[in-house]
Amino acid sequence: MAETREEETVSAEASGFSDLSDSEFLDLEDTQESSTSPNKPGPSSELPGKDGKLISLPKWKRGLDVSSPMERFHLKYLYVTDLSTQNWCEQQMVYGKELPGFLTPEKSAVLDTGASIHLARELEVHDLVTVPITSKEDAWAVKFLNILSMIPTLQSEGRIREFPVFGEVEGVLLVGVIDELHYTARGELELAELKTRRRPVLPPDAQKKKDCFQVSLYKYIFDAMVQGKVTTASLIHHTNLRPEKPLGPSVLRHARQGGFSVKSLGDLMELVFLSLTLSDLPVIDILKIEYIHQETATVLGTEIVAFEETEVRNKVQHYMAYWVGHREPQGVDVEEAWKCRTCNYADICEWRKSGGLPNSMLEPQAKKAK
DNA sequence: ATTGCTTAAGGG
């Protein structure tokens, strides 16, 4: 809320959809030319050299090894849900990055239903306003404007939804959106995460664990933000945002309508930092997850998550070790092989093939002809 | 710009 009224432009997502065209020119990046020496990229990474074939491949050199997954996937930051998906199955998450947009119709129908339930709840607390953007600076500016309007709303009205969070964690920038924040009757700041379910039953422990990890990450990042631990310098460093690049006219207009006189993204970032740290925002006291049935909206159960800081940090360290190229991805343990049953990548999964789990499990009817 | 770039979450 606290957005400009004007609700005819509420088309929300609208266009973002088929435009991941991304013409991917083979980026012929020859980094190894005379760059003196103090630069040591890979961790003892040697040439793959499957048969002693050394250099002499000037173009597609970037394809194999020597680059971290962050670089290979051309990522500057990760989503919180990337890490919670990674918690479910790291190998599956990797396939999801390699082969994006690979969902069965049934699965995406469930996701769509969940998304619209979330949208309906969001609309209960504020209108949506479409702000046309043309650059990533614009996109971040809108995010910042949302933060600037939501903080006072939380403090005065006690409830906000879809609050953006971001912060460097273990060397990687993590970006996410908190479903809901509100103050309880006892004055505690509570994060409420809604999970909708196709069938009217509580999820298995593995999924609860993933969801607990997700909300724990939100608290981890949010707390760092209000404690001034998330700096604009860090954000700029990870995103390559240009603080002085002129903002688009619609963004500037939106800012003015919101009562913010800013001329650049840098101004906005400073305002956000000040607002976060000087608004008397507490750290999050309670983490709550509510599971409801999609069709009937019946509450299936509520989880109160005990925040274990060191445990969260250890997990994040482990997950980030993959992202920065310190270790290979791994699939699930044998006892969680049941997850493969609903995985879109099960039949191409190298983890399954290479004995991550005995291929004797499941698929009794998969007679190996030939 | 001898090289760029991203709405996050959606559920299992």
Side-chain angles (χ1 to χ4, degrees):
Chain A
M1 31 109 340
E3 296 297 84
T4 56
R5 347 15 273 289
E6 181 152 273
E7 60 184 49
E8 80 256 45
T9 47
V10 182
S11 69
E13 73 272 51
S15 63
F17 180 179
S18 62
D19 46 7
L20 60 163
S21 52
D22 213 281
S23 50
E24 195 73 13
F25 314 125
L26 304 172
D27 55 57
L28 43 138
E29 163 186 283
D30 267 70
T31 54
Q32 64 176 27
E33 63 158 8
S34 70
S35 62
T36 62
S37 58
N39 196 347
K40 188 176 286 287
S44 76
S45 63
E46 265 41 81
L47 301 141
K50 44 188 68 169
D51 53 13
K53 187 173 223 166
L54 296 184
I55 317 298
S56 82
L57 42 156
K59 286 193 167 65
W60 60 83
K61 61 159 293 198
R62 198 199 182 116
L64 309 174
D65 288 31
V66 308
S67 70
S68 70
M70 288 300 284
E71 296 167 327
R72 279 204 299 280
F73 294 126
H74 299 237
L75 300 174
K76 291 211 280 285
Y77 53 83
L78 297 175
Y79 302 144
V80 167
T81 48
D82 287 334
L83 291 214
S84 57
T85 301
Q86 191 174 4
N87 178 281
W88 176 264
C89 174
E90 186 167 75
Q91 184 63 71
Q92 181 190 40
M93 184 276 305
V94 172
Y95 284 130
K97 288 292 184 188
E98 289 173 347
L99 310 164
F102 191 118
L103 280 180
T104 66
E106 307 79 51
K107 198 171 278 189
S108 55
V110 177
L111 291 177
D112 286 348
T113 301
S116 47
I117 292 173
H118 276 264
L119 178 59
R121 294 233 177 172
E122 179 180 6
L123 291 174
E124 289 174 4
V125 300
H126 60 219
D127 292 336
L128 289 187
V129 178
T130 300
V131 181
I133 58 173
T134 59
S135 68
K136 61 175 183 174
E137 280 75 15
D138 281 356
W140 280 90
V142 170
K143 186 198 297 280
F144 294 145
L145 288 169
N146 284 335
I147 291 176
L148 286 177
S149 75
M150 289 169 100
I151 289 176
T153 301
L154 173 62
Q155 300 300 63
S156 62
E157 299 180 25
R159 179 181 309 269
I160 54 179
R161 291 192 62 93
E162 307 293 317
F163 185 83
V165 292
F166 51 86
E168 180 187 309
V169 180
E170 300 300 321
V172 178
L173 181 65
L174 212 45
V175 176
V177 176
I178 293 177
D179 206 3
E180 174 172 327
L181 286 171
H182 61 248
Y183 285 104
T184 66
R186 301 175 52 190
E188 301 156 315
L189 183 58
E190 179 174 273
L191 177 154
E193 170 74 27
L194 177 70
K195 295 295 184 194
T196 73
R197 297 186 48 79
R198 177 72 183 86
R199 316 216 30 224
V201 292
L202 278 172
D205 284 346
Q207 189 162 344
K208 283 184 184 171
K209 230 179 83 229
K210 185 207 73 167
D211 296 338
C212 291
F213 180 58
Q214 180 184 353
V215 297
S216 295
L217 282 176
Y218 289 140
K219 171 173 166 57
Y220 196 86
I221 301 171
F222 179 89
D223 289 0
M225 289 172 77
V226 304
Q227 290 169 341
K229 296 175 180 171
V230 179
T231 63
T232 63
S234 153
L235 189 57
I236 291 169
H237 169 251
H238 284 285
T239 56
N240 290 332
L241 284 169
R242 284 148 297 183
E244 300 307 327
K245 176 175 179 176
L247 296 171
S250 55
V251 174
L252 289 173
R253 176 162 40 83
H254 184 61
R256 268 194 303 103
Q257 288 175 353
F260 305 107
S261 63
V262 295
K263 57 181 198 327
S264 71
L265 185 67
D267 292 345
L268 257 181
M269 293 195 295
E270 286 308 321
L271 269 185
V272 167
F273 184 87
L274 293 174
S275 182
L276 283 169
T277 56
L278 300 176
S279 298
D280 288 315
L281 289 167
V283 296
I284 294 173
D285 296 304
I286 305 170
L287 296 173
K288 187 178 80 176
I289 305 172
E290 192 173 65
Y291 295 95
I292 71 168
H293 183 213
Q294 286 191 343
E295 197 176 343
T296 65
T298 307
V299 177
L300 306 173
T302 299
E303 292 279 323
I304 299 296
V305 179
F307 181 73
E308 307 282 358
E309 169 145 18
T310 60
E311 185 185 322
V312 171
R313 183 162 43 236
N314 288 339
K315 275 185 184 167
V316 175
Q317 276 173 1
H318 180 251
Y319 295 143
M320 291 306 185
Y322 159 74
W323 285 107
V324 301
H326 289 351
R327 66 173 179 83
E328 292 298 308
Q330 51 190 233
V332 296
D333 292 334
V334 181
E335 51 269 25
E336 287 200 321
W338 55 269
K339 288 179 176 176
C340 305
R341 198 165 45 79
T342 57
C343 177
N344 296 320
Y345 310 101
D347 46 353
I348 65 165
C349 182
E350 290 301 323
W351 179 261
R352 279 165 59 83
K353 288 179 189 168
S354 68
L357 42 93
N359 61 8
S360 58
M361 309 199 67
L362 117 167
E363 295 306 324
Q365 67 223 68
K367 49 186 67 174
K368 34 171 50 176
K370 295 186 186 320

